[in-house]
Every structure is written in structure tokens, then in C-alpha cells.
Amino acid sequence: MATKTTQTAKPKKTATDSSPKKVKEVKSLNKKKILFVASESTPFIATGGLAEVIGSLSKALAASGKFDVRVVIPLFSDIKKEYKDKFTYLGNIYVHLAWRNQYCGIFSYEKEGVTFYFIDNEFYFKRPGCYGYYDDGERFAFFSRSVLEIMPFLNFYPDVMHCHDWQAALAAIYLKTNYCFREEYQYIRALFTIHNIEYQGQYSLDLLCDLFDIYGHYKYLVEYNNSINLMKGAIECCERFSTVSPRYAQEIKDPYFAHGLDAIIRKNEFKLRGILNGIDDIGYNCELDEHLFANFSPNDFSNKAVCKKELQKLLNLPQKPETPIISMVTRLVSHKGLDLVTNILEELLQDDVQVVILGTGDAHFEGFFSGMAKKYPDKLSANIAFNGDLSRKIYSGSDIFLMPSKSEPCGLSQMIACRYGTVPVVREAGGLYDSIKPLENGYTFTNFNAHDMLFVIREAMSDYKNKSEWAKLMYRAATTDFSWNHSAKEYEALYMDMLK
Ligand code: GLC
């Protein structure tokens, strides 16, 4: 079952190697050991913001020099070949899960100070995409169990095991129910981060022992509303849990946002933190980004006009420099606020405006935007696709970025748009509330109401006409600090607090 191995050649030792290496080892002894457990990470595989955070936060923590940061994800077959070919095969073990005994290959790769591990089992992970299979529960139970089982193999027992979202919830649960009684595991502390409370990992209680291998006397930890709820289990089992913005940490105590878990959140409130995500500010940099038609900087936006013109050309929109382009790069699903947009779109398109949409999602939204683009070919470009290159061309070539989410744990697109001098209009929800401040670096509206949104969009469009004021707003947006500098320190403090 093992995927083909590519052993990287070991560098030859020289006589002078030994002393610097020793120093390095001594230094790393003082570092706290952090293990991220997640289902995806950039640059290897990404379906959304989770992967970006795993890739960029791990790098930022490692760069602080205070942590030995490692990340473990499944070896999905869709992991980019350019990386897969370079992975080192470390060996394999067998992992028990109830009556199952499964092969588990372990691969590794070093990148920018972070060690990545990949769990290989072709039966579970050699499939297109990452999620959406009937046996996802079993796949991520195997993954989570493997995370604990590879620790003796690697001789790596982290100080903090930082688990992300429901796919890694069982790692925190197994630590508490099966492993913490063993000497080597007893000091591991678990932190669980909720990136989106909507996806909780819910299964029938019948699967408790047979599939998840959880003993009956621990049922109370994972049982919720008469079924297994893995997110609930992780919240109960971890030392601390967090969400990806302070505002969302408040919101999920409320039934409106909590998708049924508000009572559990409130019960465990004492261990909840909200830390705003950052973005990889080198990866998203208008001065360096090779995907852009032309590069520009916050001090000189003149080439942004080139990006706009070329974008209009690419999308078959009339090349009108004075007409504001409003863009959305989003999953086309209800909680992203698409219902507000469908409600006022035709009204908005009566104005002198161009609207650009990029994303995939629910069929009725895809159909709606495709249909409207046919009706208004000079005003609306609907791109039903997931396309990283085009997304950057849109971020850089448009003027206003719309993100009217019903709920938004953090949201990264509003930050990326800012980095490219594209001014966001957002609803005050979760991380949107924490990152976008009215007139400071964007526009906000409070109520989930289509005409409240339209009012604010029109306010932005009217301000857009005042070139000098708009340039100042673009500058403030593009220079807002969305790097990890601040938030990585907050995680650092949280880890240290857990290790007291
Ligand atoms: C999820 C959330 C999004 C957040 C991202 C990274 O995708 O929906 O708001 O930015 O995770 O934490």
C-alpha cells in the first residue's frame, strides 16, 4: 500500500559538522515542541482557509525561534506532485482501531523551518479531493489515531498538540481517553482550534466502539443530541480551545452562530480564546506577486489601473477605467451572504458598475450568477471555478471587494483584498468585524439585510469618485498589518499558559 518512496540523499558528514550541530541540538532542546494536526496545509494541498492558516501560522511560529514546529496531515493523492516527489519515506507502522489493523506509512518534508509529516494509507487517502466520502468518519479516525501512534516511532512527544477542526478532533479525544495514562504521553497538552463550527463531525452512536474505538464509559464525552459529535468531544477533552477571531469566540456562545453547540461552548467558556488569523504577507504582496498583470505598491498604485484594464479585457468586460469593479471571491454558499447579493444584484447593475464573481458552490447560486451574466454581459462576469491565478488577478484588478457573510469565523479574502488596495465592504460578523474598520480600511454594515448592504456599497461607489480620498483609503487598506506578527505572539502566550 505504500506510495512510491523517494529517499532524499543524506548529506555527507565532515569533521567540522559536529560542533555546530551540537549547538543546534542544545538550542532545539530549549524549544517547546508543537505538533499541528490538521487535514490540509499549504503549499501541499488546500481546499480553503484552514490550509492557509496551517501553512502560514506554523511557519511564523517556527520563525520566532522559540518552537520546534511540526505538522501532520494525511497523504492525500491530490497533494501536489512537485512536492510529493520530494518527500522522504521514514518507515511504516500498523495502527489499531477497534478490530482494524491498518498500514500507516510515514513520510516527511522540511519547509522553512517546519517539519511536515504525511500519513500514508492508500485505502483511505488515495481518492480525489479531501472530503465528502461515506467513510470520512473512519478515515479521520484512522488519521487521528495514527497521529498518536507515530509519536513513539518518531520519538517526538509534543508539549502542545494543536488540533484543527473536526477532522483532527479525535486526536484530542484519544489523548484523553486512551493515551494520557502512558508515561510518554502524560505531559502532552491539547489545544483545539475551531475554524468553522458548522462542520462538527456527527455520527450515529452505534459507531462509538465499533468504528471510533471509544469505550462505553467515555460515551459522555462525545455524545451530543443523541449522536456522536466529534467537535463537542474535542472541546470537552482539550485543555484549551480557540477560534480564529475574538468576535467569533463571542458569537459561538449564541445559538444563532453555534449550529447547536452553544451550550457546550458556554459550559467550556473558561478555556476559550479568540485569536485573529493572519495571512502570509509575503505570499500576498502586490509588489512581488507574479500572477498580477503588473505589480504596484501602496506608495504607487498607478499600475493597479493596468491590472484593472487587463482584467476587464480577460473577462470580456468593457474597458472603462472610471467604472468601479466590485468583486467577490467566495464559495457560493448561503452563509457567505449570497442571498443578500442575489436579492439586490439587478438593482445594483442599473448603476455604472461592473461585478466580478469567482467561486463554486451550491447549484442554485452557480445557476443564478451564470444566468445573470448572460443577461448583463457588459456588467457581470460570473466565473464558476476555483482558480488561484484568476483570484489574484481579481483581487488586484478590482476596486471594491464584497464579503457580506452571514457568519465568518475569520475570513482571509478581506485581508488579501486589502493587501492589493481593493477596499472591502463587509458585514460585521466574526473576523470581518475584527479586521475591517469603517472608513479606516473599508466599509461595514451590521444587519443581515440586502438593502443595508446595497446602501453601503453605493456609499463606497460614491466615495470612489473622489480620487484623492479614495487613494488614501486604498493606502490605509493596503498597509493594514495582517501579518502573523501579532497573532503568532498570542498563540505563543496561549501555549505557554497551557504549559504552566
Ligand atoms: C474557515 C472559515 C474562515 C477562516 C478559515 C481559516 O474556512 O470559514 O472564516 O478564515 O477557516 O481559519
Side-chain angles (χ1 to χ4, degrees), residues 48-51 53 165 194-196 244 277 331 335-336 408-412:
L50 168 68
V53 171
D165 272 351
I194 300 172
H195 292 260
N196 194 340
V244 286
N277 284 334
R331 272 186 297 129
H335 78 256
K336 292 288 180 187
E408 194 59 71
C410 178
L412 303 176

PDB file of all heavy atoms in Angstrom, residues 48-51 53 165 194-196 244 277 331 335-336 408-412, ligand 1:
ATOM      1  N   GLY A  48      -9.323  25.388   1.320  1.00  0.00           N
ATOM      2  CA  GLY A  48      -9.879  26.611   1.902  1.00  0.00           C
ATOM      3  C   GLY A  48      -8.909  27.270   2.869  1.00  0.00           C
ATOM      4  O   GLY A  48      -7.711  26.959   2.885  1.00  0.00           O
ATOM      5  N   GLY A  49      -9.473  28.163   3.682  1.00  0.00           N
ATOM      6  CA  GLY A  49      -8.665  28.979   4.594  1.00  0.00           C
ATOM      7  C   GLY A  49      -7.902  28.164   5.625  1.00  0.00           C
ATOM      8  O   GLY A  49      -6.818  28.566   6.049  1.00  0.00           O
ATOM      9  N   LEU A  50      -8.457  27.018   6.023  1.00  0.00           N
ATOM     10  CA  LEU A  50      -7.774  26.182   7.012  1.00  0.00           C
ATOM     11  C   LEU A  50      -6.334  25.897   6.577  1.00  0.00           C
ATOM     12  O   LEU A  50      -5.380  26.084   7.337  1.00  0.00           O
ATOM     13  CB  LEU A  50      -8.549  24.866   7.202  1.00  0.00           C
ATOM     14  CG  LEU A  50      -7.822  23.773   7.983  1.00  0.00           C
ATOM     15  CD1 LEU A  50      -7.663  24.158   9.437  1.00  0.00           C
ATOM     16  CD2 LEU A  50      -8.572  22.437   7.886  1.00  0.00           C
ATOM     17  N   ALA A  51      -6.171  25.469   5.328  1.00  0.00           N
ATOM     18  CA  ALA A  51      -4.847  25.104   4.820  1.00  0.00           C
ATOM     19  C   ALA A  51      -3.902  26.297   4.866  1.00  0.00           C
ATOM     20  O   ALA A  51      -2.722  26.163   5.217  1.00  0.00           O
ATOM     21  CB  ALA A  51      -4.960  24.587   3.390  1.00  0.00           C
ATOM     22  N   VAL A  53      -3.968  28.788   6.928  1.00  0.00           N
ATOM     23  CA  VAL A  53      -3.585  29.080   8.307  1.00  0.00           C
ATOM     24  C   VAL A  53      -2.562  28.050   8.795  1.00  0.00           C
ATOM     25  O   VAL A  53      -1.559  28.416   9.432  1.00  0.00           O
ATOM     26  CB  VAL A  53      -4.833  29.111   9.219  1.00  0.00           C
ATOM     27  CG1 VAL A  53      -4.439  29.203  10.682  1.00  0.00           C
ATOM     28  CG2 VAL A  53      -5.708  30.292   8.836  1.00  0.00           C
ATOM     29  N   ASP A 165     -10.011  21.787  13.703  1.00  0.00           N
ATOM     30  CA  ASP A 165     -11.294  21.363  13.122  1.00  0.00           C
ATOM     31  C   ASP A 165     -11.626  19.884  13.378  1.00  0.00           C
ATOM     32  O   ASP A 165     -10.819  19.135  13.897  1.00  0.00           O
ATOM     33  CB  ASP A 165     -11.355  21.699  11.634  1.00  0.00           C
ATOM     34  CG  ASP A 165     -11.902  23.124  11.402  1.00  0.00           C
ATOM     35  OD1 ASP A 165     -12.376  23.746  12.378  1.00  0.00           O
ATOM     36  OD2 ASP A 165     -11.861  23.607  10.262  1.00  0.00           O
ATOM     37  N   ILE A 194     -11.206  25.851  16.432  1.00  0.00           N
ATOM     38  CA  ILE A 194     -12.390  25.768  15.572  1.00  0.00           C
ATOM     39  C   ILE A 194     -12.243  26.795  14.451  1.00  0.00           C
ATOM     40  O   ILE A 194     -12.227  27.996  14.698  1.00  0.00           O
ATOM     41  CB  ILE A 194     -13.671  26.087  16.378  1.00  0.00           C
ATOM     42  CG1 ILE A 194     -13.847  25.093  17.526  1.00  0.00           C
ATOM     43  CG2 ILE A 194     -14.901  26.096  15.465  1.00  0.00           C
ATOM     44  CD1 ILE A 194     -14.986  25.458  18.481  1.00  0.00           C
ATOM     45  N   HIS A 195     -12.130  26.312  13.236  1.00  0.00           N
ATOM     46  CA  HIS A 195     -12.076  27.225  12.081  1.00  0.00           C
ATOM     47  C   HIS A 195     -13.479  27.483  11.551  1.00  0.00           C
ATOM     48  O   HIS A 195     -13.728  28.492  10.904  1.00  0.00           O
ATOM     49  CB  HIS A 195     -11.181  26.654  10.985  1.00  0.00           C
ATOM     50  CG  HIS A 195      -9.740  26.613  11.394  1.00  0.00           C
ATOM     51  ND1 HIS A 195      -8.832  27.551  11.000  1.00  0.00           N
ATOM     52  CD2 HIS A 195      -9.070  25.759  12.215  1.00  0.00           C
ATOM     53  CE1 HIS A 195      -7.648  27.280  11.544  1.00  0.00           C
ATOM     54  NE2 HIS A 195      -7.770  26.190  12.281  1.00  0.00           N
ATOM     55  N   ASN A 196     -14.360  26.538  11.752  1.00  0.00           N
ATOM     56  CA  ASN A 196     -15.748  26.734  11.338  1.00  0.00           C
ATOM     57  C   ASN A 196     -16.627  25.763  12.119  1.00  0.00           C
ATOM     58  O   ASN A 196     -16.479  24.551  11.977  1.00  0.00           O
ATOM     59  CB  ASN A 196     -15.882  26.488   9.833  1.00  0.00           C
ATOM     60  CG  ASN A 196     -17.207  27.002   9.316  1.00  0.00           C
ATOM     61  OD1 ASN A 196     -18.151  27.198  10.090  1.00  0.00           O
ATOM     62  ND2 ASN A 196     -17.288  27.225   8.020  1.00  0.00           N
ATOM     63  N   VAL A 244     -10.903  31.511  15.449  1.00  0.00           N
ATOM     64  CA  VAL A 244      -9.973  32.275  14.642  1.00  0.00           C
ATOM     65  C   VAL A 244     -10.240  33.786  14.621  1.00  0.00           C
ATOM     66  O   VAL A 244      -9.671  34.501  13.792  1.00  0.00           O
ATOM     67  CB  VAL A 244      -9.897  31.675  13.223  1.00  0.00           C
ATOM     68  CG1 VAL A 244      -9.112  30.373  13.258  1.00  0.00           C
ATOM     69  CG2 VAL A 244     -11.280  31.436  12.642  1.00  0.00           C
ATOM     70  N   ASN A 277      -6.760  35.361  12.797  1.00  0.00           N
ATOM     71  CA  ASN A 277      -5.773  34.834  11.850  1.00  0.00           C
ATOM     72  C   ASN A 277      -4.968  35.953  11.225  1.00  0.00           C
ATOM     73  O   ASN A 277      -5.462  37.073  11.065  1.00  0.00           O
ATOM     74  CB  ASN A 277      -6.475  34.115  10.689  1.00  0.00           C
ATOM     75  CG  ASN A 277      -6.995  32.753  11.074  1.00  0.00           C
ATOM     76  OD1 ASN A 277      -6.486  32.115  11.991  1.00  0.00           O
ATOM     77  ND2 ASN A 277      -8.019  32.309  10.356  1.00  0.00           N
ATOM     78  N   ARG A 331     -16.774  30.900  -1.788  1.00  0.00           N
ATOM     79  CA  ARG A 331     -17.579  29.710  -2.039  1.00  0.00           C
ATOM     80  C   ARG A 331     -19.014  30.193  -2.205  1.00  0.00           C
ATOM     81  O   ARG A 331     -19.472  31.087  -1.475  1.00  0.00           O
ATOM     82  CB  ARG A 331     -17.479  28.730  -0.868  1.00  0.00           C
ATOM     83  CG  ARG A 331     -16.293  27.790  -1.028  1.00  0.00           C
ATOM     84  CD  ARG A 331     -16.264  26.736   0.034  1.00  0.00           C
ATOM     85  NE  ARG A 331     -16.099  27.321   1.341  1.00  0.00           N
ATOM     86  CZ  ARG A 331     -16.868  27.070   2.398  1.00  0.00           C
ATOM     87  NH1 ARG A 331     -17.889  26.230   2.297  1.00  0.00           N
ATOM     88  NH2 ARG A 331     -16.646  27.642   3.556  1.00  0.00           N
ATOM     89  N   HIS A 335     -24.066  30.810   3.726  1.00  0.00           N
ATOM     90  CA  HIS A 335     -23.527  31.565   4.862  1.00  0.00           C
ATOM     91  C   HIS A 335     -22.504  32.625   4.438  1.00  0.00           C
ATOM     92  O   HIS A 335     -22.092  33.453   5.244  1.00  0.00           O
ATOM     93  CB  HIS A 335     -23.002  30.645   5.978  1.00  0.00           C
ATOM     94  CG  HIS A 335     -21.667  30.036   5.733  1.00  0.00           C
ATOM     95  ND1 HIS A 335     -21.508  28.726   5.367  1.00  0.00           N
ATOM     96  CD2 HIS A 335     -20.422  30.562   5.799  1.00  0.00           C
ATOM     97  CE1 HIS A 335     -20.224  28.483   5.207  1.00  0.00           C
ATOM     98  NE2 HIS A 335     -19.548  29.574   5.465  1.00  0.00           N
ATOM     99  N   LYS A 336     -22.114  32.627   3.174  1.00  0.00           N
ATOM    100  CA  LYS A 336     -21.243  33.705   2.675  1.00  0.00           C
ATOM    101  C   LYS A 336     -22.063  34.942   2.301  1.00  0.00           C
ATOM    102  O   LYS A 336     -21.527  35.900   1.730  1.00  0.00           O
ATOM    103  CB  LYS A 336     -20.434  33.220   1.477  1.00  0.00           C
ATOM    104  CG  LYS A 336     -19.397  32.153   1.846  1.00  0.00           C
ATOM    105  CD  LYS A 336     -18.225  32.753   2.623  1.00  0.00           C
ATOM    106  CE  LYS A 336     -17.195  31.698   2.991  1.00  0.00           C
ATOM    107  NZ  LYS A 336     -16.138  32.224   3.881  1.00  0.00           N
ATOM    108  N   GLU A 408     -18.827  34.467   9.772  1.00  0.00           N
ATOM    109  CA  GLU A 408     -17.472  34.355   9.207  1.00  0.00           C
ATOM    110  C   GLU A 408     -16.478  34.195  10.347  1.00  0.00           C
ATOM    111  O   GLU A 408     -16.127  35.174  11.014  1.00  0.00           O
ATOM    112  CB  GLU A 408     -17.139  35.623   8.392  1.00  0.00           C
ATOM    113  CG  GLU A 408     -15.918  35.479   7.506  1.00  0.00           C
ATOM    114  CD  GLU A 408     -16.068  34.354   6.495  1.00  0.00           C
ATOM    115  OE1 GLU A 408     -16.857  34.481   5.545  1.00  0.00           O
ATOM    116  OE2 GLU A 408     -15.394  33.326   6.687  1.00  0.00           O
ATOM    117  N   PRO A 409     -16.030  32.970  10.588  1.00  0.00           N
ATOM    118  CA  PRO A 409     -15.107  32.745  11.717  1.00  0.00           C
ATOM    119  C   PRO A 409     -13.932  33.722  11.681  1.00  0.00           C
ATOM    120  O   PRO A 409     -13.618  34.350  12.680  1.00  0.00           O
ATOM    121  CB  PRO A 409     -14.653  31.304  11.502  1.00  0.00           C
ATOM    122  CG  PRO A 409     -15.793  30.651  10.753  1.00  0.00           C
ATOM    123  CD  PRO A 409     -16.397  31.729   9.897  1.00  0.00           C
ATOM    124  N   CYS A 410     -13.290  33.825  10.548  1.00  0.00           N
ATOM    125  CA  CYS A 410     -12.265  34.867  10.396  1.00  0.00           C
ATOM    126  C   CYS A 410     -12.398  35.507   9.022  1.00  0.00           C
ATOM    127  O   CYS A 410     -12.672  36.673   8.902  1.00  0.00           O
ATOM    128  CB  CYS A 410     -10.852  34.308  10.577  1.00  0.00           C
ATOM    129  SG  CYS A 410      -9.635  35.601  10.310  1.00  0.00           S
ATOM    130  N   GLY A 411     -12.209  34.697   7.990  1.00  0.00           N
ATOM    131  CA  GLY A 411     -12.209  35.247   6.636  1.00  0.00           C
ATOM    132  C   GLY A 411     -10.811  35.728   6.302  1.00  0.00           C
ATOM    133  O   GLY A 411     -10.199  36.456   7.089  1.00  0.00           O
ATOM    134  N   LEU A 412     -10.304  35.293   5.181  1.00  0.00           N
ATOM    135  CA  LEU A 412      -8.972  35.736   4.766  1.00  0.00           C
ATOM    136  C   LEU A 412      -9.071  36.665   3.560  1.00  0.00           C
ATOM    137  O   LEU A 412      -8.241  37.552   3.368  1.00  0.00           O
ATOM    138  CB  LEU A 412      -8.097  34.517   4.414  1.00  0.00           C
ATOM    139  CG  LEU A 412      -7.935  33.469   5.527  1.00  0.00           C
ATOM    140  CD1 LEU A 412      -7.135  32.278   5.033  1.00  0.00           C
ATOM    141  CD2 LEU A 412      -7.276  34.069   6.751  1.00  0.00           C
TER     142      LEU A 412
HETATM  143  C1  GLC B   1     -12.633  28.588   7.691  1.00  0.00           C
HETATM  144  C2  GLC B   1     -13.518  29.799   7.993  1.00  0.00           C
HETATM  145  C3  GLC B   1     -12.835  31.105   7.625  1.00  0.00           C
HETATM  146  C4  GLC B   1     -11.432  31.151   8.228  1.00  0.00           C
HETATM  147  C5  GLC B   1     -10.651  29.915   7.826  1.00  0.00           C
HETATM  148  C6  GLC B   1      -9.265  29.874   8.437  1.00  0.00           C
HETATM  149  O1  GLC B   1     -12.524  28.403   6.315  1.00  0.00           O
HETATM  150  O2  GLC B   1     -14.764  29.690   7.336  1.00  0.00           O
HETATM  151  O3  GLC B   1     -13.583  32.202   8.096  1.00  0.00           O
HETATM  152  O4  GLC B   1     -10.771  32.307   7.787  1.00  0.00           O
HETATM  153  O5  GLC B   1     -11.333  28.748   8.237  1.00  0.00           O
HETATM  154  O6  GLC B   1      -9.290  29.898   9.836  1.00  0.00           O
END
